[in-house]
Amino acid sequence: MLNLVHARTFLAIVETRGVRSAARLLELAPSTIIDHIRQLEEELAVPLLDRQTREARTTAEGERFLPIARALVETAERAPALLRDRHLRIVSSSNVGIYMLQPSIADFQTTTGITVETWIGPNPDAIDRMGRGEADLAVLEWWDERKGFSARTWACEPLVIIVAPGHRWGGLDALTVEELLTEPLLGGEPGTGTGRLLRQQLGPLADQLMTIGGLGSTEAVKRAVRAGRGASVVMRSAVTDEIAAHQLVALSLRGIALSKEIKMVVPEALPSTAPAMGFFADAGPERSYTVI
């Protein structure tokens, strides 16, 4: 069992770059600092600090342990407040958090009186935060099925092809796959959630898509499409306002129902009374929430 005091000592050494400076920060004797690190390395069975240099530097194993140590110490420091004040920490992939999740969070807070803290960012980063214990619940465009967590489908969100109103496809309702292959596709490159889905749905034809990556966000993609740089495939919820304002045109893909399963994830060890379980228990974003 890892000792949190030892983990805090390790972080102090990394932060101050020395044993003596860490001792001053923690108001401990240098010998105590050294003993903490020795015990921590014995517990982990790996060296954490390079003893061949004057300045305290982490080994490769120490670098890998660093985010774990930070998460452990931060969680321990937050524990009294977490137990005293009921609140919910949610991480979400960017598009879900921006375009789908906010009404559900607002409804949950109003109904239960529980404060919700949110972090929104790239899907891989949201998964990592969940894995490090920095969140009680995650809502994601894809999940890697790692052990120790329960996952369910929160929503099934349709995807649409978007073009500018003046585009040659602007008067159409649907496209064939062959037509889609003839136009630059902004976003949807390999490694993204949409890219994964397109490759699942289109098979080998996905390799013929003229994808253009590097735009960084769905907002940037929408601006580029409006400027006439090409088409894109996005979640329908991400373009509701632009479609209503006639700034973009949405088309379907003929013969293929493109949609994305939005996953909700919680740790398996959460008690049924945890606020996250009240959120997790609902079938989808249209449902109301109950206080548990």
Side-chain angles (χ1 to χ4, degrees):
M1 184 68 68
L2 286 178
N3 188 308
L4 287 173
V5 174
H6 297 168
R8 186 177 286 109
T9 297
F10 170 72
L11 292 176
I13 291 176
V14 174
E15 177 184 338
T16 64
R17 301 183 179 182
V19 170
R20 292 187 179 279
S21 54
R24 289 192 295 270
L25 177 65
L26 298 176
E27 299 182 347
L28 296 171
S31 59
T32 302
I33 297 293
I34 292 172
D35 189 53
H36 284 181
I37 296 302
R38 178 187 59 79
Q39 293 184 59
L40 183 60
E41 290 179 328
E42 288 179 355
E43 291 168 353
L44 295 172
V46 294
L48 298 175
L49 296 171
D50 186 351
R51 288 162 173 76
Q52 304 302 315
T53 59
R54 291 177 60 86
E55 184 180 272
R57 296 180 181 175
T58 54
T59 62
E61 294 84 358
E63 280 296 314
R64 290 196 292 271
F65 178 63
L66 190 56
I68 299 173
R70 285 181 177 138
L72 287 170
V73 172
E74 288 172 3
T75 300
E77 291 174 346
R78 289 167 57 105
L82 292 174
L83 294 174
R84 184 175 58 252
D85 304 318
R86 296 188 79 198
H87 77 289
L88 173 61
R89 300 173 299 162
I90 296 179
V91 296
S92 174
S93 58
S94 298
N95 287 337
V96 174
I98 294 169
Y99 300 113
M100 297 183 66
L101 191 57
Q102 298 307 318
S104 295
I105 291 176
D107 185 35
F108 181 81
Q109 288 187 142
T110 300
T111 304
T112 66
I114 294 172
T115 300
V116 178
E117 298 177 7
T118 57
W119 181 93
I120 299 171
N123 204 97
D125 293 350
I127 291 176
D128 288 343
R129 283 175 174 264
M130 194 67 182
R132 294 196 301 265
E134 297 176 11
D136 308 306
L137 181 145
V139 190
L140 308 163
E141 290 188 46
W142 53 269
W143 171 245
D144 61 7
E145 305 298 336
R146 66 183 63 186
K147 294 181 178 179
F149 296 88
S150 296
R152 62 172 301 171
T153 298
W154 179 67
C156 191
E157 176 66 8
L159 300 184
V160 293
I161 302 161
I162 56 171
V163 296
H167 190 276
R168 59 193 170 99
W169 296 337
L172 301 179
D173 295 322
L175 297 175
T176 65
V177 174
E178 290 72 22
E179 287 174 312
L180 186 62
L181 299 179
T182 67
E183 183 75 6
L185 192 66
L186 307 179
E189 63 269 29
T192 64
T194 299
R196 290 166 180 247
L197 179 64
L198 288 174
R199 275 145 189 81
Q200 290 173 0
Q201 294 288 331
L202 304 184
L205 285 176
D207 294 331
Q208 299 179 38
L209 292 170
M210 296 186 290
T211 55
I212 300 174
L215 290 169
S217 69
T218 298
E219 285 300 310
V221 166
K222 291 191 292 184
R223 291 281 181 174
V225 171
R226 287 172 58 184
R229 291 186 56 192
S232 187
V233 178
V234 299
M235 296 193 308
R236 184 178 63 186
S237 58
V239 291
T240 302
D241 294 342
E242 289 84 356
I243 299 302
H246 305 291
Q247 296 171 342
L248 290 171
V249 175
L251 305 90
S252 61
L253 192 59
R254 192 167 285 124
I256 299 177
L258 292 176
S259 64
K260 191 175 284 186
E261 285 194 3
I262 308 302
K263 295 295 184 179
M264 183 177 291
V265 183
V266 293
E268 287 182 348
L270 277 184
S272 60
T273 55
M277 297 307 292
F279 205 109
F280 185 73
D282 280 271
E286 302 302 324
R287 296 288 296 277
S288 59
Y289 298 92
T290 55
V291 181
I292 296 181

